[in-house]
Amino acid sequence: MKTTIAVLGAGSWGSVLASVLVQNGHQVRLWTRHPQQAAELNNQHTNQHYMGDYQYPPQLQTLTNLAAVLKNAEVVLFTVPTPAIRSVAEQVVPILHAQKACPLIVHASKGLEQQTHLRISEILTATIPAPYRQEIVALSGPSHAEEVARKDITLITAASTSLAAAQQVQRLFMNNYFRVYTNTDLIGVELGAAFKNVIALGAGALHGLGYGDDAKAALMTRGLAEISRLGVALGAQPLTFIGLSGVGDLIVTCTSIHSRNWRAGNQLGQGKKLTAVIKDMGMVIEGIKTCQSAYELARAQNIDMPITEAIYHVLYEQADIKQEITTLMQREGKSESY
């Protein structure tokens, strides 16, 4: 059935998900803060800064007026970067109140809030009162906007504590190139999505330093062990981390040039300064801030995460990457256990 959907955030992922939903027959309005971007999407049907010459369906409406985007929306999809989730949700609340609306809330962002260490669904739960929303669903998995845009086969997960809500989102997005599974382990799905960005920074750094496939495979495997240890300590189900939002997302983010985190790590490995990497990227590199959150959570939970700690030392303490690798390799021998 045709559904009215508001997509908040017109970056690469948000705009491409909006495009998928339009192609699936839904009425979609996309929100951006930038009038020039809205004009380009509405008139040229392109989003050059994020997606080059990709052509969006002409039925997609892009607006800067948040109230107009949210009008009669049955589903609200947040795709803004994690640091903006709270502020955008706070802007949404009075509009939903005025419109007497109670939409299903979905997010497709990946990360944790700085300082509070809250997952995105927790931010949305705390910010949007229950009378103005239905359930909250996280959309996550191994997916790059560039490949979804050209209709490559993509499989992701819709996660919610409500199976019915996850199934509703599954129905909205499913088509012959975009397949959605459901999962009720919202904690595990969100944590896997956040923490894999940290390991992707390390994978990119290894490539930048000239290491081969053996080193990259080792990093991903032991990185998954770290993610699983901390995730389970925070309430996740272990099997979630060998699913699409765990190992699946980890593989694609650690091996693809489309990954901002991989590209950032690659530049760090080549000797570029972090400030220059951030400036040149022009888009949010979620793994940098997530690394700090993961490091702090691991210490609070007394969880051993040596790879995360090494990446933290490089990002926040200006440690030498090669020395951190040497330190990792010279650690005391251990059993291969999670």
Side-chain angles (χ1 to χ4, degrees), residues 127-196:
T127 308
I128 306 175
Y132 308 131
R133 61 171 169 80
Q134 298 175 34
E135 303 291 343
I136 295 175
V137 182
L139 201 62
S140 185
S143 49
H144 288 307
E146 296 84 355
E147 298 189 3
V148 174
R150 63 173 184 253
K151 299 185 178 179
D152 275 5
I153 290 174
T154 301
L155 279 66
I156 63 172
T157 295
S160 176
T161 56
S162 164
L163 178 58
Q167 289 171 333
Q168 182 179 348
V169 172
Q170 181 183 49
R171 290 191 294 270
L172 291 175
F173 281 94
M174 286 268 286
N175 58 37
N176 61 0
Y177 65 90
F178 200 78
R179 182 169 176 80
V180 183
Y181 288 81
T182 61
N183 194 321
T184 55
D185 181 16
L186 182 58
I187 296 174
V189 166
E190 289 186 308
L191 291 179
F195 294 150
K196 55 88 183 180

Side-chain angles (χ1 to χ4, degrees), residues 112-296:
L112 300 174
E113 189 173 48
Q114 288 290 95
Q115 298 181 328
T116 68
H117 302 149
L118 292 177
R119 293 176 285 108
I120 295 172
S121 65
E122 293 178 310
I123 302 169
L124 294 170
T125 299
T127 308
I128 306 175
Y132 308 131
R133 61 171 169 80
Q134 298 175 34
E135 303 291 343
I136 295 175
V137 182
L139 201 62
S140 185
S143 49
H144 288 307
E146 296 84 355
E147 298 189 3
V148 174
R150 63 173 184 253
K151 299 185 178 179
D152 275 5
I153 290 174
T154 301
L155 279 66
I156 63 172
T157 295
S160 176
T161 56
S162 164
L163 178 58
Q167 289 171 333
Q168 182 179 348
V169 172
Q170 181 183 49
R171 290 191 294 270
L172 291 175
F173 281 94
M174 286 268 286
N175 58 37
N176 61 0
Y177 65 90
F178 200 78
R179 182 169 176 80
V180 183
Y181 288 81
T182 61
N183 194 321
T184 55
D185 181 16
L186 182 58
I187 296 174
V189 166
E190 289 186 308
L191 291 179
F195 294 150
K196 55 88 183 180
N197 284 330
V198 180
I199 307 303
L201 287 168
L206 288 181
H207 185 271
L209 287 162
Y211 286 97
D213 295 337
D214 291 359
K216 296 166 191 173
L219 180 85
M220 285 188 279
T221 305
R222 297 311 301 168
L224 181 62
E226 291 191 9
I227 292 170
S228 301
R229 280 199 296 268
L230 183 54
V232 170
L234 295 173
Q237 298 298 315
L239 288 177
T240 299
F241 297 107
I242 60 170
L244 288 168
S245 61
V247 67
D249 210 357
L250 182 68
I251 291 170
V252 78
T253 311
C254 287
T255 61
S256 174
I257 59 171
H258 296 313
S259 165
R260 294 193 295 270
N261 294 282
W262 185 92
R263 296 203 309 271
N266 184 50
Q267 292 179 51
L268 289 171
Q270 292 172 345
K272 202 167 186 177
K273 297 296 184 184
L274 179 61
T275 51
V277 172
I278 294 171
K279 182 179 179 181
D280 292 347
M281 192 65 62
M283 292 180 276
V284 174
I285 307 167
E286 293 281 10
I288 294 173
K289 291 185 176 180
T290 302
C291 183
Q292 182 176 5
S293 296
Y295 175 80
E296 293 169 351

Side-chain angles (χ1 to χ4, degrees), residues 67 70-72 91-102 132:
L70 291 169
K71 186 177 181 181
N72 300 323
Q91 295 173 60
V92 165
V93 171
I95 297 171
L96 295 180
H97 173 71
Q99 295 181 359
K100 298 181 180 179
C102 186
Y132 308 131

Side-chain angles (χ1 to χ4, degrees), residues 311-330:
I311 296 170
Y312 175 86
H313 293 157
V314 171
L315 294 176
Y316 291 96
E317 297 176 354
Q318 293 76 54
D320 180 74
I321 297 179
K322 292 182 179 179
Q323 182 56 52
E324 289 298 316
I325 293 172
T326 298
T327 300
L328 283 170
M329 292 301 292
Q330 291 179 348

